[in-house]
Amino acid sequence: MSSNLIFHVDINSCYASCEKILDPSLARKPAVVLSNNDGCIIALDAHAKALGFSMGQPWFEVKQRAHEQGVIARSSNYELYGDISDRVMRVLQEYAGDFEQYSIDEAFLSAPVSPAEAQSLARTIKDDLARRVGVPVCVGVARTKTLAKLSNKAAKKIPALSGVCVWDALPTERREALLTTLPVSELWGVGSRSARRLTLQGICSIKDLALAPPTLIRERFNVVLMRTALEVRGIPAIEWEENRIMKDQLIYSRSFSDPITTEEQMCQVLSVYAQRAAQRLVKHQQTARYISAFCSTSYFAQGVQSHPAVRVKLDTATADPVVITRASHRLLTRADFGVARYVRAGIILTDLHPAAYEPLLEPFISPHDKRQIARLLHTVQEQCGEHSVGLGYAGLSHKPSWEMKREMLSPRGTTHWNELATAKIR
């Protein structure tokens, strides 16, 4: 009998896998991806893990050993990863009834299939993504989102499953063994603090949570954890979020390759960050009513500690880069230039709404909104690159010295004409 089953699809070692798509020479080599300014490891493939490398390791500490063991390092290429993610999601939507992109590398989709049909469909999805996009994925299938996530975890860790796990197709004893042996902290949505509190209540394994009365979980914890408990029992309790992209806030924050010490440099930083944040609003057809700007010195550096911040309520909800840039500059009066060495800054846009959510009378429309300056900048930068045009201090003719360091950046071969991959026939 067919039923509506939920598929959870997750890209294996997402950033490292994206790097290997356009560079076949990496196919059989261990690879790691580094954080902003090439600081620490934020992604690595199975080969690198087998050599003893792990997430969060500072690159300067393991760099020599990595070179000796043939590990290839790449700087974070977020534009490439975002484009590959978009391609994966478009393919997945072809198979979906309901669809929800949960993060850059994972999504939920549903299909009215039996467990036997789900096994075949999951392998089709896996093979199709490998053929059409070039990324390896694992697929977990179950009657609830929580069990689908758990199934995906099993698909990754149990080699015999070959990257696909259909929960209802597993032997009963195998399912019971997983639920009994896995700690409750392995469940999606159960954080470390909740796991400790559950353990104090005698709920240590996933099986313990499934057997606990849902009303008791709600009373002693919260309704969110109660829904997780119901989902482990096979009862759907977590709703679909088809418009997850409409989040409560938008953050654009980066650390600098060189510290910022002057007002002119910080003015340029805020101008660039504010306009990039505005472009993201335009891309997602959103507007913001509040803007916060901040900068900070290193918490570990000696000398002056300074962490100024400012929050500005805009006259109207807007994506106008001129308005957002001017508002961000209010931070400049609160910074300690000349004595503090700032290593990070950011822009936070909140109270987000869909564009045209609050229609305005003609006299209240910003002249820049009326002339669609934000849309114009977005179009030019999409076609010619983010450094091609900017307003005021953000009108850069070359990359500023404070931009984050990415010395091992791979080409953005799917989004930039001048960085296209070259194929050779021998």
Side-chain angles (χ1 to χ4, degrees):
M1 179 183 295
S2 296
S3 58
N4 214 42
L5 294 181
I6 296 175
F7 293 64
H8 177 254
V9 183
D10 184 25
I11 302 174
N12 299 341
S13 305
C14 178
Y15 290 177
S17 296
C18 290
E19 292 288 349
K20 295 185 178 188
I21 291 175
L22 299 180
D23 189 352
S25 68
L26 298 179
R28 299 184 182 279
K29 297 179 181 178
V32 299
V33 177
L34 307 178
S35 64
N36 294 346
N37 292 314
D38 297 338
C40 62
I41 297 174
I42 58 170
L44 64 170
D45 64 7
H47 301 300
K49 291 177 183 177
L51 291 173
F53 296 91
S54 60
M55 294 275 285
Q57 284 184 312
W59 179 238
F60 76 91
E61 290 184 358
V62 299
K63 181 178 180 179
Q64 183 61 37
R65 179 163 69 91
H67 290 332
E68 292 172 355
Q69 295 182 303
V71 176
I72 305 300
R74 291 285 185 265
S75 301
S76 298
N77 191 341
Y78 299 117
E79 193 166 350
L80 172 66
Y81 310 150
D83 184 67
I84 297 300
S85 172
D86 288 343
R87 294 169 186 241
V88 168
M89 300 307 161
R90 286 198 295 270
V91 172
L92 291 179
Q93 289 182 66
E94 296 176 10
Y95 293 94
D98 292 314
F99 177 82
E100 176 189 333
Q101 180 176 351
Y102 185 70
S103 68
I104 190 173
D105 62 345
E106 58 183 317
F108 293 101
L109 55 139
S110 68
V113 292
S114 66
E117 293 169 334
Q119 189 87 26
S120 176
L121 179 58
R123 296 205 176 278
T124 298
I125 291 173
K126 180 178 171 67
D127 294 342
D128 204 17
L129 286 172
R131 178 178 61 85
R132 294 169 61 181
V133 185
V135 293
V137 301
C138 284
V139 186
V141 188
R143 299 182 184 278
T144 69
K145 283 184 172 182
T146 302
L147 285 177
K149 285 272 286 188
L150 185 63
S151 298
N152 196 307
K153 189 170 293 189
K156 288 181 184 295
K157 294 185 176 182
I158 303 175
L161 295 176
S162 301
V164 171
C165 177
V166 179
W167 187 256
D168 288 345
L170 289 176
T172 302
E173 59 273 16
R174 174 62 67 86
R175 294 202 303 267
E176 286 296 313
L178 286 171
L179 294 175
T180 303
T181 58
L182 288 176
V184 71
S185 59
E186 289 287 319
L187 273 180
W188 174 49
V190 179
S192 57
R193 182 180 299 179
S194 295
R196 287 194 296 269
R197 290 182 59 201
L198 286 166
T199 300
L200 292 175
Q201 299 288 329
I203 301 173
C204 303
S205 69
I206 296 176
K207 182 71 172 180
D208 293 336
L209 182 62
L211 294 175
T215 53
L216 178 67
I217 297 298
R218 183 181 61 188
E219 290 171 1
R220 296 187 178 180
F221 295 89
N222 52 56
V223 69
V224 175
L225 193 57
M226 182 193 74
R227 289 172 181 159
T228 299
L230 289 171
E231 292 238 328
V232 175
R233 294 185 175 193
I235 303 170
I238 299 177
E239 297 181 355
W240 290 81
E241 297 184 38
E242 296 181 5
N243 296 318
R244 176 172 287 275
I245 198 169
M246 300 301 295
K247 299 179 181 179
D248 295 331
Q249 63 181 11
L250 186 156
I251 302 175
Y252 191 97
S253 176
R254 296 287 187 274
S255 53
F256 312 133
S257 57
D258 297 315
I260 295 294
T261 58
T262 69
E263 181 175 348
E264 184 176 16
Q265 287 177 310
M266 188 61 72
C267 185
Q268 186 183 55
V269 168
L270 293 173
S271 298
V272 171
Y273 288 10
Q275 290 174 43
R276 289 179 183 172
Q279 296 312 307
R280 291 187 179 181
L281 287 177
V282 173
K283 180 179 180 180
H284 299 309
Q285 300 181 355
Q286 293 175 295
T287 58
R289 190 63 186 269
Y290 290 89
I291 172 176
S292 300
F294 67 89
C295 59
S296 62
T297 55
S298 171
Y299 286 94
F300 306 102
Q302 297 180 347
V304 174
Q305 290 285 315
S306 179
H307 310 282
V310 65
R311 187 169 189 260
V312 181
K313 182 179 180 180
L314 306 176
D315 292 335
T316 61
T318 183
D320 185 344
V322 178
V323 171
I324 293 173
T325 300
R326 286 174 177 169
S328 73
H329 287 178
R330 296 193 190 182
L331 177 68
L332 298 174
T333 60
R334 304 193 178 188
D336 299 316
F337 296 114
V339 292
R341 294 169 59 82
Y342 294 105
V343 299
R344 188 176 187 85
I347 300 293
I348 305 174
L349 300 175
T350 54
D351 195 8
L352 305 187
H353 301 285
Y357 175 77
E358 299 182 37
L360 299 174
L361 297 175
E362 183 72 18
F364 299 100
I365 299 176
S366 159
H368 313 109
D369 281 339
K370 190 182 298 183
R371 297 170 64 184
Q372 296 188 323
I373 297 298
R375 174 63 61 182
L376 174 62
L377 290 177
H378 177 68
T379 301
V380 172
Q381 291 180 351
E382 269 203 330
Q383 295 180 3
C384 305
E386 63 181 18
H387 295 293
S388 59
V389 65
L391 301 173
Y393 275 84
L396 308 175
S397 58
H398 58 276
K399 183 177 180 180
S401 60
W402 47 261
E403 282 261 79
M404 67 178 177
K405 179 174 62 178
R406 293 192 289 178
E407 296 180 344
M408 294 166 281
L409 184 66
S410 56
R412 296 162 295 181
T414 62
T415 56
H416 285 63
W417 286 106
N418 60 344
E419 298 182 23
L420 287 176
T422 302
K424 298 180 180 180
I425 301 176
R426 296 180 179 176

